[in-house]
Amino acid sequence: MKNLSFKTKLTVIYIICVFIPLLLMSIFYYNISVSRIEHQQNDNLNYDIEKSSTALSNQFDRIVFISDMLYCNDKLYKLLDLGKMTLSESLDASNQIEEFCTYFKSNTFINSVNIYSDNPNLLRGSALVKTGDIPSGSVWYNEYLKSNSGTAVISYYSPDYNSNVVSYIQRLDYIKTKNGSNFLKIDILEKEIYNVLEQNSNTSNLYFLKSDDGIIAGCDRTDGGYKNSLRLTGDFKVFEFSFPNGYKIAGSIDKSRTPNVFTSEVILFALIIIFSIILAFFALYKVIYPFTKKLGQLTVCTKNMINGTFELVPEENVGNDEIGILTRGMNGAVIRIKQLLKEVVEAKMRELEIEKEKSQAKFQALQSQINPHFMFNILEAVRMGCLVRKEGETAQIIKNMSAIFRWLIDWKDDLITVRDEMIFVNSYIRLQKYYYSDDVEVTMDIDKEAEDALLPKITLQVILENAFVHGVDKSIEKCSVDVKVKKIGQSVLLRVSDSGAGMSKKTVDAINKREFKTVTNRVGLQNVVNRLELYFNDKFEFYCTSEPYKETVFTIKIPFRKY
């Protein structure tokens, strides 16, 4: 794989990650769909069988009800047991029997209702049949005689109807007659059973079967004739009636009546697969072609750089994707390399000038060291002159001024201990007391445990200067200045208070909000806060309170740190 071109690798990725998963997913979904359709068709088949069996059972129950009505009819038995009578009386009796049969034949499921009698005094009619007129080879009659039962359900093929017939036969012996025996025969033709099956079948082939699986009626035949007593074979779902006993309904899915969903599913999935493959290929082409084109340009540029030729990659139609970023980065690198080469050449030409600048810098550094020392020497000469003239106080002030200048010039570390800070503060306070004389009283309370704590240089001096300049100097009464440094747990508390003129509420709020730009002459305080933020981030506190001519307090709380 590592020796294949990028385009070939992308093609392999397309086949493995797009084409094959899409094909497998489609086959999987097709199988699920086919299974779902088959399951739905089986449910429909069960539903059709249940509806048809219920409908036929209701019709057979209706036939039994009609038979029971006639079986228990006293008037019918009187008509069937009449003795000798005139012709008109005989015709009248036959007509009345006809009326009975015609009345109960009103059910559309029933084809005919006939009463068979061997009473010689009755005349034959359309509904009244003489038993002696039954053909000797009649299938249904022979089956009835063999059954030797009061009721029988017999199915057979009738040439007269050119159809299969189901007959319900009931012996009429509820009341014994003197003039012969009688029985009732109700016929149902194949087409009536077909109508019931057809009305209750949606997508199924249903069959009404005899006990030996011979087909009596089926919803796939409308010409009335399973003449050869065909038997049903194959895989069918079967419902067996409790009455008539042994008869069944069998059903199967009718492929001719069901839409060819399987073929349509195959076509649909084939179209989806083809469309998806084409779409994915087109999208891949639209994405890969510009990608591989730019990648080829970058490859050429890289080879040229190896050979010492630095040329820019064309940037037209370059987007903000990774290739675009890489292209612009490559061009930036080429430009930078060209600049570096130019700078190297120029650097060679400027070596003498750089050496000259170095020598001049050294001279300036020596001069910057000489000037402060000259200042210290002058201050020291003045101080010695004051001592000779016995002006001790003036000599001491000059000594403090010299110490402060030396402290500021010789800065070194920006973080110092409280102990070192207090040396500088003491010199500053001596100068201020020389100026204010007895108008100010300074007290200091420095905790020994806090002397090793580190803080930015001249932090306390700036706060003290603020107290003298904005408090003591503006007061007409004697003032006091109090300096306290305490170690509290893992923190150090620095507190400077004065009883001078104080500050307005607006100024106090601005300082506490660290809005120093809105307050004049507070650059030193802003510098202190900035340096505290630099060294302690947000782990320090800085705030002030002021009651004019009573007490103005600046408080700083920093973490305890030491060398």
Side-chain angles (χ1 to χ4, degrees):
M1 286 291 289
K2 65 181 180 179
N3 295 323
L4 296 177
S5 67
F6 187 74
K7 187 182 296 185
T8 304
K9 290 178 181 178
L10 287 178
T11 304
V12 173
I13 291 173
Y14 168 76
I15 294 173
I16 295 175
C17 300
V18 178
F19 179 76
I20 294 177
L22 183 63
L23 182 63
L24 294 177
M25 182 178 65
S26 300
I27 294 173
F28 175 74
Y29 183 69
Y30 170 75
N31 291 330
I32 292 177
S33 299
V34 169
S35 176
R36 176 179 53 80
I37 292 170
E38 290 177 347
H39 182 73
Q40 183 63 44
Q41 288 179 337
N42 286 328
D43 290 343
N44 292 339
L45 175 60
N46 292 332
Y47 181 67
D48 290 347
I49 291 175
E50 182 180 356
K51 285 200 305 180
S52 299
S53 61
T54 300
L56 285 176
S57 294
N58 291 337
Q59 294 294 347
F60 282 118
D61 290 342
R62 177 67 178 167
I63 291 171
V64 172
F65 174 74
I66 293 171
S67 176
D68 290 343
M69 292 288 291
L70 292 173
Y71 180 75
C72 299
N73 194 301
D74 295 342
K75 185 176 180 181
L76 177 61
Y77 279 97
K78 290 179 180 180
L79 292 172
L80 292 174
D81 199 29
L82 290 173
K84 290 183 178 182
M85 64 192 95
T86 62
L87 179 60
S88 61
E89 291 175 340
S90 180
L91 285 172
D92 183 60
S94 295
N95 288 335
Q96 291 186 48
I97 294 172
E98 291 280 347
E99 290 177 359
F100 276 111
C101 296
T102 302
Y103 174 78
F104 288 108
K105 185 181 172 295
S106 60
N107 190 321
T108 57
F109 185 70
I110 298 172
N111 181 70
S112 63
V113 178
N114 296 101
I115 295 177
Y116 290 79
S117 176
D118 57 3
N119 185 346
N121 300 312
L122 298 175
L123 293 178
R124 175 188 175 91
S126 59
L128 179 63
V129 183
K130 290 287 191 175
T131 304
D133 294 338
I134 300 173
S136 59
S138 177
V139 176
W140 67 266
Y141 187 60
N142 290 331
E143 290 291 330
Y144 169 64
L145 294 177
K146 287 180 183 178
S147 67
N148 194 25
S149 172
T151 59
V153 178
I154 300 170
S155 58
Y156 57 96
Y157 176 76
S158 172
D160 296 333
Y161 293 119
N162 190 28
S163 170
N164 286 325
V165 181
V166 177
S167 297
Y168 179 78
I169 302 175
Q170 170 76 55
R171 185 183 298 138
L172 299 176
D173 57 359
Y174 180 71
I175 299 175
K176 291 188 178 182
T177 57
K178 300 176 182 179
N179 295 310
S181 60
N182 311 284
F183 63 89
L184 171 69
K185 179 171 176 282
I186 301 175
D187 292 337
I188 305 112
L189 296 185
E190 177 184 343
K191 66 178 182 178
E192 276 79 26
I193 300 175
Y194 164 80
N195 289 334
V196 173
L197 296 177
E198 180 65 22
Q199 291 171 4
N200 293 281
S201 172
N202 293 319
T203 59
S204 307
N205 279 331
L206 300 179
Y207 301 90
F208 185 66
L209 308 178
K210 297 185 288 186
S211 58
D212 60 356
D213 292 339
I215 301 174
I216 298 173
C219 63
D220 61 340
R221 294 289 295 272
T222 59
D223 57 359
Y226 285 97
K227 300 179 182 179
N228 298 322
S229 297
L230 295 176
R231 281 172 171 75
L232 195 65
T233 58
D235 186 17
F236 290 86
K237 292 185 179 295
V238 177
F239 172 82
E240 188 167 348
F241 291 91
S242 59
F243 179 84
N245 187 28
Y247 286 81
K248 312 168 187 175
I249 284 184
S252 65
I253 298 171
D254 187 359
K255 301 296 183 182
S256 64
R257 298 175 68 187
T258 304
N260 197 354
V261 291
F262 297 105
T263 303
S264 62
E265 288 286 338
V266 171
I267 295 174
L268 177 61
F269 283 115
L271 291 175
I272 291 175
I273 292 173
I274 293 172
F275 176 76
S276 301
I277 291 173
I278 294 175
L279 180 63
F281 178 80
F282 179 76
L284 192 64
Y285 173 79
K286 294 294 288 184
V287 172
I288 288 178
Y289 177 73
F291 186 80
T292 53
K293 181 180 178 181
K294 292 297 180 184
L295 194 62
Q297 292 175 344
L298 289 171
T299 304
V300 172
C301 179
T302 304
K303 291 180 179 179
N304 290 338
M305 289 176 65
I306 294 173
N307 296 326
T309 303
F310 300 95
E311 296 179 352
L312 297 178
V313 181
E315 292 190 13
E316 62 272 11
N317 299 323
V318 173
N320 293 320
D321 59 357
E322 289 80 356
I323 291 295
I325 295 172
L326 188 60
T327 300
R328 285 187 284 271
M330 179 66 76
N331 287 340
V334 170
I335 293 171
R336 181 59 179 160
I337 290 172
K338 288 182 177 180
Q339 290 177 345
L340 290 175
L341 290 174
K342 183 179 178 181
E343 290 173 1
V344 168
V345 174
E346 291 177 351
K348 292 291 184 181
M349 297 173 64
R350 294 178 56 193
E351 283 183 355
L352 294 175
E353 185 179 354
I354 292 173
E355 290 297 327
K356 181 180 178 180
E357 290 177 355
K358 285 182 179 180
S359 299
Q360 187 175 358
K362 289 179 180 180
F363 175 76
Q364 291 175 349
L366 290 172
Q367 188 178 22
S368 66
Q369 291 178 3
I370 292 170
N371 291 337
H373 284 288
F374 175 77
M375 188 74 166
F376 296 146
N377 291 335
I378 293 297
L379 287 174
E380 183 63 19
V382 173
R383 188 179 72 86
M384 293 302 296
C386 290
L387 289 175
V388 170
R389 293 177 178 85
K390 297 183 179 181
E391 296 175 356
E393 186 176 7
T394 303
Q396 185 63 37
I397 292 305
I398 294 173
K399 180 180 180 181
N400 289 331
M401 287 179 61
S402 178
I404 290 174
F405 287 152
R406 190 180 299 276
W407 180 270
L408 292 174
I409 292 172
D410 189 17
W411 191 269
K412 293 184 180 178
D413 296 331
D414 193 41
L415 280 178
I416 62 173
T417 64
V418 171
R419 183 183 296 106
D420 293 336
E421 177 77 359
M422 291 310 299
I423 295 173
F424 179 74
V425 168
N426 287 328
S427 296
Y428 177 75
I429 289 174
R430 291 188 192 101
L431 286 176
Q432 294 298 332
K433 291 184 74 174
Y434 176 78
Y435 174 75
Y436 290 106
S437 185
D438 295 331
D439 291 336
V440 64
E441 181 180 354
V442 180
T443 60
M444 289 189 290
D445 182 9
I446 311 301
D447 190 351
K448 290 290 185 181
E449 294 182 357
E451 289 183 348
D452 292 328
L454 296 176
L455 77 165
K457 202 169 188 177
I458 71 169
T459 297
L460 279 173
Q461 185 274 331
V462 173
I463 304 300
L464 276 169
E465 183 179 5
N466 184 79
F468 281 106
V469 174
H470 298 285
V472 176
D473 196 51
K474 295 180 180 180
S475 177
I476 60 176
E477 298 180 357
K478 184 177 180 179
C479 298
S480 63
V481 176
D482 183 35
V483 179
K484 291 184 178 180
V485 180
K486 298 290 183 182
K487 182 176 182 293
I488 303 174
Q490 294 300 314
S491 300
V492 177
L493 184 70
L494 297 92
R495 184 179 185 275
V496 177
S497 63
D498 69 87
S499 60
M503 298 178 290
S504 66
K505 185 177 185 303
K506 181 179 179 181
T507 303
V508 171
D509 292 340
I511 293 174
N512 287 334
K513 292 178 181 178
R514 301 178 190 177
E515 297 174 352
F516 297 102
K517 291 182 180 180
T518 63
V519 184
T520 58
N521 300 324
R522 305 288 175 168
V523 177
L525 292 178
Q526 182 176 4
N527 184 39
V528 167
V529 171
N530 291 341
R531 291 165 67 216
L532 289 172
E533 287 179 347
L534 177 64
Y535 289 110
F536 302 111
N537 296 321
D538 58 350
K539 297 179 181 179
F540 75 96
E541 297 178 14
F542 178 90
Y543 57 91
C544 67
T545 61
S546 180
E547 293 184 42
Y549 300 104
K550 288 187 179 180
E551 186 179 44
T552 298
V553 181
F554 277 84
T555 304
I556 300 174
K557 188 177 181 181
I558 60 175
F560 180 81
R561 296 179 185 175
K562 64 179 182 178
Y563 287 121

